Amino acid sequence: MPAMKLYVPHVGHMEGLQELLADPSKIHSVYMAGSPDYIGTGRTNLSAPTMESIAEQTEYAHEKGVKIDMVLNSSCMGGQQLTPEGYRAIGWYLDRLNDIGIDSLTVADPYLIEMIAHEYDMETVVSVLSFVDSPQKAEFYEGLGADTIVVDPVVNRDFGKLEAIKDVTSGNLKLLVNEACLYQCPFRYAHFNFFSHANGPGPKPNVIDDYYYYKCLSLRIRNPGQIIKSPWIRPEDLSEYKHITDMFKIGGRTHFVEWILNNVNAYYNESYEGNLLDLLDSIKDLKDTFYVANRDLEGCH
């Protein structure tokens, strides 16, 4: 069995990268957002690195033997990518990332997936925000030229679907292990579209609050069983997935490095003592409200 490849979140500035890669032996690749001036992302940006900073960080990571993935996974760009001006701006940006030596690009829009796959040497990665949850979708994106597909976590516990997706693809599959979104979340599309506009080129919405996030939390407070239903994968259960893939992605690029490294150690060692919520992305505000002893879930399927 090939060695496990961990894909690890990074907030996007050099100081954080240096702290994250103080011991790079457990990390295969780090991923981060780029400049929101060209393509947005489906998460909040805590840092918007310049091209010079991206180049510096890429060189540093490569010196440590770690790959760099840029996340450009806006789920909605308002059609700007199809305008002459948008096409030229995106092309300029992708050219610069290619020249810098970025190893891979994670994108959600089929148009960008096909463009990158056919015009650049960078690995083309299909984001979870493409919602690949069936063999039919996987075949479609592979047909566009995708090298790697990050499978929609909604099927993380459906081994029949995962195996069917694997059977029809010749490229790589990657699983997001610690996302704690609601199972079959009704807010998912609207929430990521909101993030994409809030973290994209603009015009940016002047919103009062994140309705979707707080609604999500309130549903869990009223019904804590929703936490267990979320499609996370425990560190101890990675062995159940290694016939599907050796590529596992840790979510959480809006967290502090200490939190990220705690996840790296847990998933690398395939073991964690403590509160499962310490590892879960997207519901960090509940980790002091609920305690789910990770060890008590041993043997649950």
Side-chain angles (χ1 to χ4, degrees):
M1 177 64 64
M4 181 198 309
K5 299 183 180 74
L6 281 184
Y7 293 76
V8 175
H10 165 43
V11 69
H13 50 68
M14 177 58 89
E15 294 79 5
L17 185 65
Q18 290 171 332
E19 188 177 353
L20 191 61
L21 298 184
D23 176 10
S25 61
K26 300 173 183 177
I27 298 174
H28 177 76
S29 176
V30 299
Y31 65 91
M32 65 178 184
S35 169
D37 294 335
Y38 303 97
I39 305 174
T41 75
R43 297 284 189 189
T44 300
N45 286 336
L46 296 187
S47 180
T50 63
M51 299 305 297
E52 291 78 12
S53 178
I54 293 171
E56 182 184 17
Q57 292 183 64
T58 301
E59 182 179 5
Y60 181 82
H62 287 170
E63 288 173 355
K64 295 284 187 175
V66 173
K67 295 181 181 295
I68 287 279
D69 175 71
M70 296 297 293
V71 181
L72 315 175
N73 64 342
S74 174
S75 58
C76 181
M77 291 180 278
Q80 290 302 307
Q81 73 276 26
L82 302 178
T83 67
E85 298 81 10
Y87 175 82
R88 286 193 294 270
I90 290 170
W92 181 90
Y93 185 48
L94 297 179
D95 287 346
R96 301 290 81 71
L97 295 178
N98 192 55
D99 292 343
I100 283 170
I102 293 296
D103 297 285
S104 57
L105 299 177
T106 296
V107 289
D109 188 289
Y111 171 73
L112 292 180
I113 290 166
E114 189 168 26
M115 174 196 290
I116 294 165
H118 289 89
E119 297 183 18
Y120 297 94
D121 295 329
M122 295 174 285
E123 179 187 354
T124 309
V125 182
V126 178
S127 167
V128 291
L129 302 193
S130 296
F131 308 108
V132 177
D133 59 359
S134 68
Q136 292 82 2
K137 287 183 184 177
E139 283 184 306
F140 169 77
Y141 282 106
E142 193 165 76
L144 291 181
D147 299 301
T148 298
I149 295 171
V150 188
V151 180
D152 189 336
V154 74
V155 297
N156 271 357
R157 298 179 188 171
D158 188 335
F159 282 91
K161 279 252 181 84
L162 291 174
E163 289 161 358
I165 291 170
K166 180 176 175 59
D167 286 344
V168 301
T169 54
S170 58
N172 301 312
L173 298 180
K174 190 185 300 180
L175 298 180
L176 179 58
V177 294
N178 66 325
E179 185 180 82
C181 289
L182 292 167
Y183 178 65
Q184 297 288 1
C185 177
F187 311 123
R188 194 165 173 82
Y189 296 95
H191 200 187
F192 285 124
N193 283 349
F194 157 64
F195 275 137
S196 296
H197 286 287
N199 297 298
K204 299 183 188 299
N206 183 23
V207 298
I208 298 172
D209 217 333
D210 185 348
Y211 161 84
Y212 309 104
Y213 177 70
Y214 290 107
K215 187 69 174 179
C216 174
L217 292 185
S218 69
L219 289 173
R220 294 166 193 274
I221 290 170
R222 292 201 297 270
N223 180 8
Q226 294 290 346
I227 297 171
I228 303 300
K229 292 178 182 178
S230 294
W232 36 260
I233 300 171
R234 295 170 64 240
E236 292 81 358
D237 295 334
L238 288 188
S239 60
E240 302 292 331
Y241 293 85
K242 290 180 181 175
H243 68 293
I244 303 293
T245 184
D246 62 349
M247 302 167 69
F248 299 102
K249 182 174 184 176
I250 296 171
R253 55 188 166 92
T254 62
H255 292 266
F256 293 117
V257 174
E258 181 181 6
W259 181 94
I260 296 170
L261 288 175
N262 186 51
N263 268 273
V264 169
N265 289 328
Y267 282 98
Y268 183 85
N269 296 320
E270 300 183 42
S271 177
Y272 187 69
E273 299 284 350
N275 185 2
L276 175 69
L277 272 72
D278 291 341
L279 304 179
L280 300 184
D281 188 21
S282 79
I283 57 169
K284 60 185 177 183
D285 289 332
L286 296 182
K287 70 181 183 65
D288 295 324
T289 303
F290 298 109
Y291 189 96
V292 179
N294 184 51
R295 285 298 184 188
D296 287 352
L297 299 174
E298 194 70 34
C300 294
H301 298 288

